[in-house]
Structures are given as structure tokens and as C-alpha cells.
Amino acid sequence: MAHSACAPYILEMDVAALWDQLAAGIAGIPQSGLLIAAVISVLFGIVGGFLASKGSGLGRAMRRASTLGLLAVFCLVVLQLGRFDPRFNVAVPELGLPEQTVSGGETRLPLAADGHYWLQATVNGQPAEFLVDTGATLTAISEDTARKVGAEPRPGGIPVQLRTANGAVTAQLTSLDSLRFGNIEANGLDAVIAPNIGKVNVVGMNFLSRLASWRVEGQTMILVPAPDQFAEPIEEGAAGPDATPDTAPRPSIDGW
């Protein structure tokens, strides 16, 4: 009896989550040139199919154009998804997909008083603080940070659905020309411009997985880039020359 009583609640939660994802996806269509291109291609195919059934040569041409358009969209989606996995190292600068690199030397981050690892960084030359989140798939910057560092949504980028404490949100992909902290510099790193997360910026697994290794020893997180790009390590307990003291106030992360 207990199992059957829980079933409606579970179904309701699943439907609610699916509805949130659907609503966020529809809301993201006007923000994505790629989705707009896909919708136009589909409409071309529908109209072309109707005209082709009447023997129209124009209809057949429209159907071919629709197929080519959808194929191009599919290829762009695959290229961008492939960039999330460092094993593929997908880079097509002509399409706004720069090479993603991480170089430098060992950097150590102390555990902050709030129980998280924070780092002082510069993004495109502008200072920004980041939370290191090993549970986040992608690096994320707030809308405020994006404006400050001049990070623009990628033309033709795929919208990314994020699940936060405040519900599902649609984020836009961008590339960070430079992300520097401690002895490490990342170039061309993919990130999302995430709305409704306040002032929090997050370093996610798409950065950490490009390191040779990362680990936690005691209350220190140790980040090590590839051995052939190794540099002298900084002093233990420091996040870089501009590190914020451990007692500094941190932005709220309740919405993330």
C-alpha cells in the first residue's frame, strides 16, 4: 500500500521536471541561432513535402535544402558536445570553437571557512572569484561577470539546461579567452553564462578533467596541469599572488 501511495507523487515530480525542461527549451529557442535554424529547416521540409506531393520542383528543392540544413545543425551540435570531453579536443576556430588548453604549474587551494574551495582568478584580464565544484559538468560564469569580462554568447551555440536550487534555467555557451589563477592558465575554455545564480562563478569538470591530475590532501586541493607544461609550484596554502584571505565574505551559493 505504501508503494502505491507514493506512485502518484513520484509521477507528479517527474512530470513537473519534464515540463520545466520543456518550458526552458522552448524559451531558449529565440536565444539560439542554431535552434532557429533547425526550426526553419523543419518548416522548409514540411512545406517542401507538401509542394513535392503536388509535383512541384520547388518543393523537392526545399526538401533537399531542409535536409542539408538539418545535417549542418546536427554537425554543429555534435562538434559543440564533443568539446565537453577533453579526449576529443574538438577545435574549429573558424566556427568560433577555439582550441581549449590548460597549462602552467601545480597550484594549491586552501579549504575556506565555509567548507568550499575558492580561487581568485582573472578572466580576460578582469578579476573574478570562482567556486571549485567537482559536481558541475561545465564551468559557469554569472551574467554580471560575463558583462565585466566581455564574454558574449556563442553565435550558433547550443542552449544548455542547468538544474539549480531555483529550478531549471537555460544558459548560453561562451568561450573564455583566458582564465588565470595561481600558476595555471586556461585558454579558449568553454563556459556557460548562467542566469539566476547571483554573483557566483563556478569552475567545473570541463576544466578539471583537462588537468593531468587533481586531488585533495587534508584541507588542500592540489591542481596539476600536464607534466610537459609543469612550472614551479606556488607556496602551499595560497591560491595565487592575489588570493583572498580565507576569512573574506563569500557570495551566497544557495541558487547554484
Side-chain angles (χ1 to χ4, degrees):
M1 294 298 294
H3 177 74
S4 60
C6 290
Y9 174 74
I10 295 174
L11 178 61
E12 179 182 351
M13 292 299 292
D14 289 343
V15 171
L18 289 173
W19 177 256
D20 286 346
Q21 291 286 346
L22 178 62
I26 293 174
I29 289 178
Q31 305 174 39
S32 171
L34 205 60
L35 285 179
I36 292 174
V39 170
I40 292 175
S41 295
V42 169
L43 292 176
F44 251 66
I46 294 173
V47 175
F50 174 77
L51 295 177
S53 68
K54 305 295 185 181
S56 170
L58 175 61
R60 290 190 292 271
M62 291 179 66
R63 289 179 62 181
R64 285 193 293 270
S66 171
T67 301
L68 291 175
L70 289 174
L71 181 60
V73 169
F74 174 76
C75 289
L76 286 173
V77 169
V78 170
L79 285 174
Q80 294 186 69
L81 291 177
R83 288 172 62 83
F84 298 164
D85 190 329
R87 294 174 299 177
F88 300 126
N89 198 26
V90 176
V92 187
E94 296 80 5
L95 298 179
L97 305 175
E99 183 180 5
Q100 301 181 89
T101 62
V102 177
S103 60
E106 180 181 298
T107 297
R108 296 173 177 243
L109 306 176
L111 185 67
D114 62 1
H116 296 93
Y117 292 97
W118 295 85
L119 57 87
Q120 292 296 312
T122 60
V123 180
N124 300 347
Q126 298 295 320
E129 187 174 46
F130 283 78
L131 165 71
V132 181
D133 185 355
T134 59
T137 302
L138 295 174
T139 296
I141 59 174
S142 68
E143 291 181 316
D144 286 343
T145 298
R147 283 191 292 268
K148 183 171 69 172
V149 306
E152 297 288 343
R154 179 181 297 157
I158 56 175
V160 177
Q161 300 298 314
L162 299 179
R163 296 292 298 179
T164 73
N166 296 326
V169 297
T170 300
Q172 300 298 315
L173 277 171
T174 189
S175 294
L176 304 180
D177 294 336
S178 173
L179 170 64
R180 302 184 65 180
F181 64 91
N183 287 326
I184 295 176
E185 179 173 7
N187 298 108
L189 185 71
D190 279 358
V192 292
I193 302 173
N196 303 326
I197 64 169
K199 297 182 179 180
V200 178
N201 305 299
V202 176
V203 167
M205 286 303 300
N206 71 313
F207 167 82
L208 296 175
S209 61
R210 294 181 182 278
L211 297 169
S213 67
W214 63 273
R215 65 190 186 277
V216 175
E217 293 183 359
Q219 295 189 334
T220 301
M221 175 176 282
I222 303 173
L223 310 177
V224 184
D228 60 339
Q229 298 170 324
F230 190 79
E232 290 296 323
I234 61 176
E235 295 180 4
E236 183 172 354
D242 298 322
T244 300
D246 191 40
T247 56
R250 309 291 184 182
S252 170
I253 60 174
D254 294 338
W256 179 251

